[in-house]
mmCIF file with all atom_site columns, all heavy atoms in Angstrom:
data_model
loop_
_atom_site.group_PDB
_atom_site.id
_atom_site.type_symbol
_atom_site.label_atom_id
_atom_site.label_alt_id
_atom_site.label_comp_id
_atom_site.label_asym_id
_atom_site.label_entity_id
_atom_site.label_seq_id
_atom_site.pdbx_PDB_ins_code
_atom_site.Cartn_x
_atom_site.Cartn_y
_atom_site.Cartn_z
_atom_site.occupancy
_atom_site.B_iso_or_equiv
_atom_site.pdbx_formal_charge
_atom_site.auth_seq_id
_atom_site.auth_comp_id
_atom_site.auth_asym_id
_atom_site.auth_atom_id
_atom_site.pdbx_PDB_model_num
ATOM 1  N N   . LEU T 1 425 ? -47.851 -3.509  12.524 1.00 96.00 ? 425 LEU T N   1
ATOM 2  C CA  . LEU T 1 425 ? -48.802 -3.050  11.526 1.00 96.00 ? 425 LEU T CA  1
ATOM 3  C C   . LEU T 1 425 ? -50.165 -3.661  11.846 1.00 96.00 ? 425 LEU T C   1
ATOM 4  O O   . LEU T 1 425 ? -50.238 -4.807  12.314 1.00 96.00 ? 425 LEU T O   1
ATOM 5  C CB  . LEU T 1 425 ? -48.364 -3.459  10.120 1.00 96.00 ? 425 LEU T CB  1
ATOM 6  C CG  . LEU T 1 425 ? -47.060 -2.835  9.615  1.00 96.00 ? 425 LEU T CG  1
ATOM 7  C CD1 . LEU T 1 425 ? -46.725 -3.362  8.220  1.00 96.00 ? 425 LEU T CD1 1
ATOM 8  C CD2 . LEU T 1 425 ? -47.125 -1.319  9.605  1.00 96.00 ? 425 LEU T CD2 1
ATOM 9  N N   . CYS T 1 426 ? -51.215 -2.895  11.602 1.00 97.00 ? 426 CYS T N   1
ATOM 10 C CA  . CYS T 1 426 ? -52.579 -3.329  11.931 1.00 97.00 ? 426 CYS T CA  1
ATOM 11 C C   . CYS T 1 426 ? -53.307 -3.764  10.664 1.00 97.00 ? 426 CYS T C   1
ATOM 12 O O   . CYS T 1 426 ? -53.309 -3.036  9.664  1.00 97.00 ? 426 CYS T O   1
ATOM 13 C CB  . CYS T 1 426 ? -53.356 -2.183  12.569 1.00 97.00 ? 426 CYS T CB  1
ATOM 14 S SG  . CYS T 1 426 ? -52.568 -1.449  14.004 1.00 97.00 ? 426 CYS T SG  1
ATOM 15 N N   . LEU T 1 427 ? -53.936 -4.933  10.696 1.00 97.00 ? 427 LEU T N   1
ATOM 16 C CA  . LEU T 1 427 ? -54.703 -5.445  9.567  1.00 97.00 ? 427 LEU T CA  1
ATOM 17 C C   . LEU T 1 427 ? -56.188 -5.400  9.906  1.00 97.00 ? 427 LEU T C   1
ATOM 18 O O   . LEU T 1 427 ? -56.633 -6.026  10.877 1.00 97.00 ? 427 LEU T O   1
ATOM 19 C CB  . LEU T 1 427 ? -54.298 -6.883  9.226  1.00 97.00 ? 427 LEU T CB  1
ATOM 20 C CG  . LEU T 1 427 ? -52.991 -7.075  8.448  1.00 97.00 ? 427 LEU T CG  1
ATOM 21 C CD1 . LEU T 1 427 ? -51.781 -6.813  9.346  1.00 97.00 ? 427 LEU T CD1 1
ATOM 22 C CD2 . LEU T 1 427 ? -52.910 -8.486  7.874  1.00 97.00 ? 427 LEU T CD2 1
ATOM 23 N N   . TYR T 1 428 ? -56.957 -4.643  9.103  1.00 97.00 ? 428 TYR T N   1
ATOM 24 C CA  . TYR T 1 428 ? -58.400 -4.513  9.292  1.00 97.00 ? 428 TYR T CA  1
ATOM 25 C C   . TYR T 1 428 ? -59.126 -5.145  8.108  1.00 97.00 ? 428 TYR T C   1
ATOM 26 O O   . TYR T 1 428 ? -58.784 -4.855  6.953  1.00 97.00 ? 428 TYR T O   1
ATOM 27 C CB  . TYR T 1 428 ? -58.792 -3.038  9.404  1.00 97.00 ? 428 TYR T CB  1
ATOM 28 C CG  . TYR T 1 428 ? -58.221 -2.338  10.616 1.00 97.00 ? 428 TYR T CG  1
ATOM 29 C CD1 . TYR T 1 428 ? -57.044 -1.599  10.517 1.00 97.00 ? 428 TYR T CD1 1
ATOM 30 C CD2 . TYR T 1 428 ? -58.859 -2.403  11.849 1.00 97.00 ? 428 TYR T CD2 1
ATOM 31 C CE1 . TYR T 1 428 ? -56.516 -0.943  11.620 1.00 97.00 ? 428 TYR T CE1 1
ATOM 32 C CE2 . TYR T 1 428 ? -58.347 -1.756  12.964 1.00 97.00 ? 428 TYR T CE2 1
ATOM 33 C CZ  . TYR T 1 428 ? -57.170 -1.028  12.841 1.00 97.00 ? 428 TYR T CZ  1
ATOM 34 O OH  . TYR T 1 428 ? -56.654 -0.385  13.942 1.00 97.00 ? 428 TYR T OH  1
ATOM 35 N N   . PRO T 1 429 ? -60.114 -5.997  8.344  1.00 96.00 ? 429 PRO T N   1
ATOM 36 C CA  . PRO T 1 429 ? -60.819 -6.663  7.234  1.00 96.00 ? 429 PRO T CA  1
ATOM 37 C C   . PRO T 1 429 ? -61.506 -5.658  6.315  1.00 96.00 ? 429 PRO T C   1
ATOM 38 O O   . PRO T 1 429 ? -62.061 -4.653  6.765  1.00 96.00 ? 429 PRO T O   1
ATOM 39 C CB  . PRO T 1 429 ? -61.858 -7.539  7.952  1.00 96.00 ? 429 PRO T CB  1
ATOM 40 C CG  . PRO T 1 429 ? -61.372 -7.666  9.350  1.00 96.00 ? 429 PRO T CG  1
ATOM 41 C CD  . PRO T 1 429 ? -60.628 -6.406  9.663  1.00 96.00 ? 429 PRO T CD  1
ATOM 42 N N   . ASN T 1 430 ? -61.465 -5.956  5.022  1.00 94.00 ? 430 ASN T N   1
ATOM 43 C CA  . ASN T 1 430 ? -62.145 -5.109  4.042  1.00 94.00 ? 430 ASN T CA  1
ATOM 44 C C   . ASN T 1 430 ? -63.653 -5.314  4.058  1.00 94.00 ? 430 ASN T C   1
ATOM 45 O O   . ASN T 1 430 ? -64.401 -4.467  3.580  1.00 94.00 ? 430 ASN T O   1
ATOM 46 C CB  . ASN T 1 430 ? -61.614 -5.400  2.636  1.00 94.00 ? 430 ASN T CB  1
ATOM 47 C CG  . ASN T 1 430 ? -60.163 -4.981  2.461  1.00 94.00 ? 430 ASN T CG  1
ATOM 48 O OD1 . ASN T 1 430 ? -59.677 -4.097  3.165  1.00 94.00 ? 430 ASN T OD1 1
ATOM 49 N ND2 . ASN T 1 430 ? -59.467 -5.621  1.544  1.00 94.00 ? 430 ASN T ND2 1
ATOM 50 N N   . SER T 1 431 ? -64.108 -6.441  4.584  1.00 92.00 ? 431 SER T N   1
ATOM 51 C CA  . SER T 1 431 ? -65.542 -6.734  4.688  1.00 92.00 ? 431 SER T CA  1
ATOM 52 C C   . SER T 1 431 ? -65.772 -7.505  5.984  1.00 92.00 ? 431 SER T C   1
ATOM 53 O O   . SER T 1 431 ? -64.818 -7.976  6.625  1.00 92.00 ? 431 SER T O   1
ATOM 54 C CB  . SER T 1 431 ? -66.016 -7.562  3.483  1.00 92.00 ? 431 SER T CB  1
ATOM 55 O OG  . SER T 1 431 ? -65.280 -8.769  3.390  1.00 92.00 ? 431 SER T OG  1
ATOM 56 N N   . ALA T 1 432 ? -67.018 -7.622  6.365  1.00 92.00 ? 432 ALA T N   1
ATOM 57 C CA  . ALA T 1 432 ? -67.351 -8.286  7.623  1.00 92.00 ? 432 ALA T CA  1
ATOM 58 C C   . ALA T 1 432 ? -66.932 -9.758  7.585  1.00 92.00 ? 432 ALA T C   1
ATOM 59 O O   . ALA T 1 432 ? -67.260 -10.483 6.640  1.00 92.00 ? 432 ALA T O   1
ATOM 60 C CB  . ALA T 1 432 ? -68.845 -8.172  7.897  1.00 92.00 ? 432 ALA T CB  1
ATOM 61 N N   . LEU T 1 433 ? -66.210 -10.200 8.600  1.00 92.00 ? 433 LEU T N   1
ATOM 62 C CA  . LEU T 1 433 ? -65.760 -11.586 8.701  1.00 92.00 ? 433 LEU T CA  1
ATOM 63 C C   . LEU T 1 433 ? -66.120 -12.140 10.068 1.00 92.00 ? 433 LEU T C   1
ATOM 64 O O   . LEU T 1 433 ? -66.106 -11.422 11.070 1.00 92.00 ? 433 LEU T O   1
ATOM 65 C CB  . LEU T 1 433 ? -64.234 -11.674 8.515  1.00 92.00 ? 433 LEU T CB  1
ATOM 66 C CG  . LEU T 1 433 ? -63.664 -11.229 7.162  1.00 92.00 ? 433 LEU T CG  1
ATOM 67 C CD1 . LEU T 1 433 ? -62.143 -11.241 7.205  1.00 92.00 ? 433 LEU T CD1 1
ATOM 68 C CD2 . LEU T 1 433 ? -64.167 -12.139 6.045  1.00 92.00 ? 433 LEU T CD2 1
ATOM 69 N N   . THR T 1 434 ? -66.465 -13.401 10.105 1.00 93.00 ? 434 THR T N   1
ATOM 70 C CA  . THR T 1 434 ? -66.733 -14.048 11.385 1.00 93.00 ? 434 THR T CA  1
ATOM 71 C C   . THR T 1 434 ? -65.418 -14.293 12.117 1.00 93.00 ? 434 THR T C   1
ATOM 72 O O   . THR T 1 434 ? -64.329 -14.234 11.536 1.00 93.00 ? 434 THR T O   1
ATOM 73 C CB  . THR T 1 434 ? -67.452 -15.380 11.175 1.00 93.00 ? 434 THR T CB  1
ATOM 74 O OG1 . THR T 1 434 ? -66.553 -16.292 10.505 1.00 93.00 ? 434 THR T OG1 1
ATOM 75 C CG2 . THR T 1 434 ? -68.717 -15.205 10.332 1.00 93.00 ? 434 THR T CG2 1
ATOM 76 N N   . GLU T 1 435 ? -65.528 -14.603 13.414 1.00 94.00 ? 435 GLU T N   1
ATOM 77 C CA  . GLU T 1 435 ? -64.331 -14.913 14.202 1.00 94.00 ? 435 GLU T CA  1
ATOM 78 C C   . GLU T 1 435 ? -63.612 -16.129 13.617 1.00 94.00 ? 435 GLU T C   1
ATOM 79 O O   . GLU T 1 435 ? -62.382 -16.169 13.548 1.00 94.00 ? 435 GLU T O   1
ATOM 80 C CB  . GLU T 1 435 ? -64.721 -15.168 15.656 1.00 94.00 ? 435 GLU T CB  1
ATOM 81 C CG  . GLU T 1 435 ? -65.191 -13.930 16.407 1.00 94.00 ? 435 GLU T CG  1
ATOM 82 C CD  . GLU T 1 435 ? -64.088 -12.886 16.536 1.00 94.00 ? 435 GLU T CD  1
ATOM 83 O OE1 . GLU T 1 435 ? -63.018 -13.215 17.092 1.00 94.00 ? 435 GLU T OE1 1
ATOM 84 O OE2 . GLU T 1 435 ? -64.295 -11.757 16.059 1.00 94.00 ? 435 GLU T OE2 1
ATOM 85 N N   . ALA T 1 436 ? -64.380 -17.096 13.176 1.00 93.00 ? 436 ALA T N   1
ATOM 86 C CA  . ALA T 1 436 ? -63.772 -18.303 12.599 1.00 93.00 ? 436 ALA T CA  1
ATOM 87 C C   . ALA T 1 436 ? -63.049 -17.979 11.292 1.00 93.00 ? 436 ALA T C   1
ATOM 88 O O   . ALA T 1 436 ? -61.969 -18.512 11.011 1.00 93.00 ? 436 ALA T O   1
ATOM 89 C CB  . ALA T 1 436 ? -64.846 -19.363 12.356 1.00 93.00 ? 436 ALA T CB  1
#
Side-chain angles (χ1 to χ4, degrees):
L425 295 178
C426 305
L427 282 73
Y428 296 96
N430 293 335
S431 58
L433 297 174
T434 66
E435 290 296 303

